[in-house]
Amino acid sequence: RSENAFFLFRRKWFEDYRLKRDLASKSASASPSAPIKKRRKVNRLSKTIARQWKSLSTEERQYWERLAKEKKK
C-alpha cells in the first residue's frame, strides 16, 4: 500500500528530527522507564507534526500530494 501525502510528510519530518537529535547528542543512556518516556515523546511529536501539516500552505501541501501520486504509480 502506498503512503499518502501526510505519511510522506511525517516520515520526512521524523528523518530531519532524528538527524538533528543525533547531531546534538551522540550518545544517550537508556533508563528503565525509557519505553514509556519514548511513547509519550512520540505522541507529543505526532501532535506537533499534525499541527504543522494543518498549517502548510496550499503550495506546500500540493508538493506532498504530487509526491504521493508519484509513489503510488
Side-chain angles (χ1 to χ4, degrees):
R1 182 175 170 183
S2 61
E3 294 175 300
N4 66 26
F6 174 74
F7 282 110
L8 292 172
F9 174 80
R10 184 179 185 275
R11 181 168 16 116
K12 174 69 170 123
W13 194 99
F14 267 112
E15 288 171 3
D16 293 347
Y17 172 80
R18 286 183 183 123
L19 178 62
K20 289 177 197 172
R21 183 197 63 202
D22 291 347
L23 290 174
S25 163
K26 289 290 183 185
S27 65
S29 61
S31 67
S33 62
I36 293 170
K37 288 181 181 180
K38 185 175 181 180
R39 271 191 302 244
R40 288 180 186 157
K41 187 173 187 177
V42 169
N43 286 341
R44 284 195 310 267
L45 291 174
S46 292
K47 289 176 185 179
T48 298
I49 296 167
R51 282 193 298 273
Q52 288 182 3
W53 172 255
K54 290 175 185 176
S55 70
L56 289 179
S57 68
T58 303
E59 295 81 23
E60 291 171 316
R61 197 176 284 220
Q62 286 175 348
Y63 165 79
W64 293 104
E65 295 290 344
R66 281 193 305 272
L67 193 61
K69 284 181 184 179
E70 287 298 317
K71 288 211 174 246
K72 190 173 184 176
K73 288 182 181 181

